[in-house]
Amino acid sequence: MNFSFKSLKFKAILLMLLAFISILLIIILGAFMMSIESHINMLKFILFGVSLICVTIISLLFHFLIKSILIPIDRVSKAMEKMAEGDFKQQLSISGDNEIGAMERSFNLLSQKLLSTYDLIEKVNSGESFEHTFEYVFNTFKQFIPYNRIGMAVIDDQEEIIRAEIARSDNVKIHLRNGYSLPLAKTSLKQVIESGQPRIINDLKKYKARHPHSESTHLIVKEGIQSSLTLPLKVNDKCIGVLFFSSIHKNTYNDSHIVFLNHIASHISISFEKSILVGDLILAAITGFAKLAESRDNDTGRHIERMRNYSVAIARQLANYPQYFDIITEKYIRDIHNFSPLHDIGKVGIKDSILLKPGKLSPDEFEVMKTHTLIGAKVLEKTQEVLKNKDKNFFTIGIEIALFHHEKYNGKGYPYGLKKEQIPLSARIVAVADVFDALTSKRPYKSAMTVEKSLEIIIKEKGKSFDPDVVDAFLQSQAEILKIYRSLSDDYSELQTSG
Ligand code: C2E
Ligand code: SIN
Ligand code: SIN
Ligand code: FE
């Protein structure tokens, strides 16, 4: 607060000065009256008036002390007491545009900060989904910390890459989107991760000039971002990724932001780890069950791995198409990764005489076979109910995949004969992966086809059985698909060893 004539300091000095002059005047006048023993009424009257003014000024000083300082301080101290007792919902009305007002404003901010942080902790503890938690942080802490964008990137230990996980921005257009990945060794983030120390860049344009090949900087500058604060995300001392707070203004960040943001970052890491961990536990159990089910008509667990990898490869490719930007998030890809292997879990309900029949199924038998989609969805719905997982949508993608992976784009599939976008995208993706894998694999009722022949069939079915976009994405990721096929194909390894 500057020294202005609105400030209490100014008013207090002025009043004290006036009071001092008043007291001086009273003393001088008193001495004067006593010394001259005057009988002039006029003079007496004037002396009386001046004394009255002096007394008024002194009373004003006391009034000011009580009303402008003591009462507001008392209110702040009472509110502070309540806050110490744990009642963070304390808001004071601002008594004026002065020092006390500034104190009241700081107090209100402190109480809001505590309340929001407390809410965040509660959300994390109660197992609120990571996406909701992230959204909450973006919307809530704006009032305390300057930012226009929050992004998070996660380390993939296996692949030694760092991948943008999620971002929220005031801007309509996010260029540095989720899924964007870089080899860890190639980014400047390595320093943040290894040192565990936050990094502030207060002029990204200048930074970009010095690092002309940093694509991530290029993308973020294109979004209009000018400064950023990067914090390591740690769980039990292990760095799992980084959190970016960024602003469209230059020179936004300084060390004073770090303590509070580190605090936020630790809650975000816990929320993220928690969501992954709980999911992993549930999925480990279910996937074990699925493997058991698969083993009846599939001799190895490789089918499960291939399905997963084909589906993820297609989804990653599709994520580059603008029309899927908002749909295919990192969470979506994780769901595809986790649930695509469960697509045929309903086969547990199909008896051996049908499932393992060496020859062609009769129409009646095929009708029974078709129910594996309905059974699979039921199994996952029941699991969802039994687990009472807080996240009611945990199995949604899994259920979609199990139920709809035999629907066809032209409406000629089963169980419901849905068409085009009526079929969930997850199921449209898995359908292509499933058929490609079925074609290139040996089954009790068929031998394996070559990759070339299988690709031909997929291409022929574009727009008929399959979503044309999904087939395009599949074909664009052919190199990756073949790599998966080669590394995981039973037949290919047989060919390799026998030939
Ligand atoms: P699956 O063996 O995993 O096959 C999945 C899907 O791949 C099939 O779904 C079909 O769309 C495609 N597919 C598999 N083999 C071929 C093929 O040789 N040519 C072509 N064009 N497409 C193929 P579909 O037909 O709805 O079958 C679902 C499941 O029903 C199959 O899963 C399999 O477990 C069973 N099934 C289908 N036909 C027969 C059969 O003739 N005999 C037996 N024992 N089971 C069958
Ligand atoms: C981000 O800013 O959201 C991610 C940055 C990266 O992946 O390098
Ligand atoms: C980078 O670290 O390469 C980009 C800067 C940022 O996203 O904060
Ligand atoms: Fe199936």
Side-chain angles (χ1 to χ4, degrees), residues 343-344 347 369 372-373 402 405-406 414 434:
H343 69 288
D344 267 347
K347 280 184 180 173
M369 190 66 222
H372 80 277
T373 51
H405 73 278
H406 286 293
Y414 63 89
D434 184 31

Side-chain angles (χ1 to χ4, degrees), residues 45-221:
F45 186 71
I46 291 171
L47 288 177
F48 180 73
V50 172
S51 313
L52 209 62
I53 291 170
C54 294
V55 169
T56 309
I57 288 174
I58 294 169
S59 324
L60 266 178
L61 176 66
F62 279 103
H63 176 79
F64 167 80
L65 278 175
I66 291 169
K67 185 168 178 290
S68 300
I69 301 180
L70 291 179
I71 293 180
I73 284 186
D74 190 48
R75 275 175 35 218
V76 173
S77 112
K78 286 218 172 81
M80 207 102 83
E81 231 166 73
K82 279 202 182 139
M83 202 140 89
E85 282 160 12
D87 181 1
F88 301 141
K89 276 196 204 100
Q90 302 299 319
Q91 289 294 298
L92 298 167
S93 52
I94 308 298
S95 58
D97 187 12
N98 50 38
E99 290 90 335
I100 298 279
M103 180 167 87
E104 286 156 346
R105 254 187 283 274
S106 301
F107 176 87
N108 287 348
L109 194 66
L110 173 68
S111 120
Q112 280 164 12
K113 240 172 165 168
L114 275 173
L115 196 63
S116 306
T117 312
Y118 193 73
D119 269 357
L120 175 61
I121 295 172
E122 202 155 79
K123 278 190 168 33
V124 174
N125 282 345
S126 70
E128 176 83 276
S129 78
F130 168 71
E131 286 69 27
H132 279 129
T133 306
F134 190 85
E135 182 76 17
Y136 175 81
V137 168
F138 181 77
N139 291 328
T140 307
F141 292 97
K142 263 190 193 140
Q143 3 166 15
F144 320 122
I145 303 278
Y147 57 79
N148 303 96
R149 182 193 205 278
I150 306 183
M152 170 173 165
V154 176
I155 299 170
D156 185 330
D157 277 330
Q158 267 175 0
E159 298 182 65
E160 294 184 342
I161 58 175
I162 183 150
R163 179 179 284 129
E165 166 71 29
I166 189 168
R168 281 285 278 111
S169 170
D170 296 333
N171 280 4
V172 241
K173 195 139 182 71
I174 291 192
H175 289 288
L176 207 172
R177 283 188 319 100
N178 50 279
Y180 178 83
S181 70
L182 285 169
L184 201 49
K186 263 187 72 182
T187 71
S188 57
L189 297 172
K190 207 170 149 61
Q191 287 154 21
V192 177
I193 289 158
E194 280 172 359
S195 69
Q197 294 302 317
R199 175 189 70 180
I200 291 172
I201 302 177
N202 264 328
D203 188 346
L204 273 163
K205 277 192 186 142
K206 218 188 227 166
Y207 182 88
K208 186 180 157 213
R210 273 189 281 126
H211 302 80
H213 302 294
S214 167
E215 201 189 16
S216 55
T217 310
H218 173 75
L219 291 171
I220 210 96
V221 168

Side-chain angles (χ1 to χ4, degrees), residues 133-335:
T133 306
F134 190 85
E135 182 76 17
Y136 175 81
V137 168
F138 181 77
N139 291 328
T140 307
F141 292 97
K142 263 190 193 140
Q143 3 166 15
F144 320 122
I145 303 278
Y147 57 79
N148 303 96
R149 182 193 205 278
I150 306 183
M152 170 173 165
V154 176
I155 299 170
D156 185 330
D157 277 330
Q158 267 175 0
E159 298 182 65
E160 294 184 342
I161 58 175
I162 183 150
R163 179 179 284 129
E165 166 71 29
I166 189 168
R168 281 285 278 111
S169 170
D170 296 333
N171 280 4
V172 241
K173 195 139 182 71
I174 291 192
H175 289 288
L176 207 172
R177 283 188 319 100
N178 50 279
Y180 178 83
S181 70
L182 285 169
L184 201 49
K186 263 187 72 182
T187 71
S188 57
L189 297 172
K190 207 170 149 61
Q191 287 154 21
V192 177
I193 289 158
E194 280 172 359
S195 69
Q197 294 302 317
R199 175 189 70 180
I200 291 172
I201 302 177
N202 264 328
D203 188 346
L204 273 163
K205 277 192 186 142
K206 218 188 227 166
Y207 182 88
K208 186 180 157 213
R210 273 189 281 126
H211 302 80
H213 302 294
S214 167
E215 201 189 16
S216 55
T217 310
H218 173 75
L219 291 171
I220 210 96
V221 168
K222 206 165 142 188
E223 286 185 27
I225 296 300
Q226 299 231 54
S227 31
S228 82
L229 196 166
T230 310
L231 303 143
L233 289 170
K234 289 181 227 165
V235 173
N236 301 328
D237 276 340
K238 183 181 180 294
C239 187
I240 60 158
V242 287
L243 192 65
F244 307 95
F245 287 83
S246 345
S247 160
I248 55 171
H249 304 291
K250 262 198 236 174
N251 303 320
T252 302
Y253 299 104
N254 55 53
D255 288 350
S256 76
H257 295 116
I258 287 177
V259 177
F260 186 62
L261 290 185
N262 257 332
H263 199 59
I264 304 289
S266 78
H267 295 305
I268 289 196
S269 335
I270 295 169
S271 168
F272 185 71
E273 277 294 285
K274 219 171 154 174
S275 76
I276 301 269
L277 196 70
V278 173
D280 279 357
L281 283 175
I282 298 171
L283 280 160
I286 302 272
T287 310
F289 180 50
K291 280 194 176 151
L292 205 66
E294 282 289 331
S295 64
R296 290 166 64 212
D297 67 333
N298 251 296
D299 18 320
T300 68
R302 288 179 173 172
H303 169 58
I304 293 233
E305 281 310 305
R306 285 195 304 265
M307 268 307 295
R308 162 174 288 160
N309 294 338
Y310 291 151
S311 305
V312 168
I314 297 171
R316 280 228 173 276
Q317 191 63 246
L318 214 50
N320 296 323
Y321 296 17
Q323 64 268 40
Y324 299 106
F325 277 2
D326 295 335
I327 308 167
I328 307 184
T329 59
E330 282 306 292
K331 158 99 163 74
Y332 194 90
I333 289 178
R334 251 197 305 281
D335 279 345

Side-chain angles (χ1 to χ4, degrees), residues 440-477:
T440 50
S441 306
K442 199 167 75 192
R443 288 283 196 271
Y445 66 100
K446 63 179 272 294
S447 52
M449 249 179 228
T450 62
V451 169
E452 291 73 26
K453 182 80 194 135
S454 308
L455 282 176
E456 250 173 58
I457 293 178
I458 302 276
I459 294 168
K460 208 186 83 214
E461 289 299 314
K462 174 173 166 176
K464 293 180 200 154
S465 294
F466 307 128
D467 180 339
D469 285 352
V470 177
V471 173
D472 286 344
F474 173 80
L475 294 174
Q476 277 160 8
S477 26

Side-chain angles (χ1 to χ4, degrees), residues 391-461:
D391 182 1
K392 280 194 221 69
N393 298 320
F394 184 76
F395 282 99
T396 301
I397 302 269
I399 294 167
E400 280 174 12
I401 289 174
L403 193 52
F404 301 119
H405 73 278
H406 286 293
E407 294 288 359
K408 291 184 174 177
Y409 198 69
N410 59 11
K412 292 186 179 160
Y414 63 89
Y416 301 120
L418 300 185
K419 270 187 199 148
K420 297 186 175 179
E421 278 73 36
Q422 289 175 335
I423 310 164
L425 178 64
S426 57
R428 281 179 268 149
I429 292 171
V430 169
V432 173
D434 184 31
V435 172
F436 180 74
D437 191 52
L439 293 173
T440 50
S441 306
K442 199 167 75 192
R443 288 283 196 271
Y445 66 100
K446 63 179 272 294
S447 52
M449 249 179 228
T450 62
V451 169
E452 291 73 26
K453 182 80 194 135
S454 308
L455 282 176
E456 250 173 58
I457 293 178
I458 302 276
I459 294 168
K460 208 186 83 214
E461 289 299 314

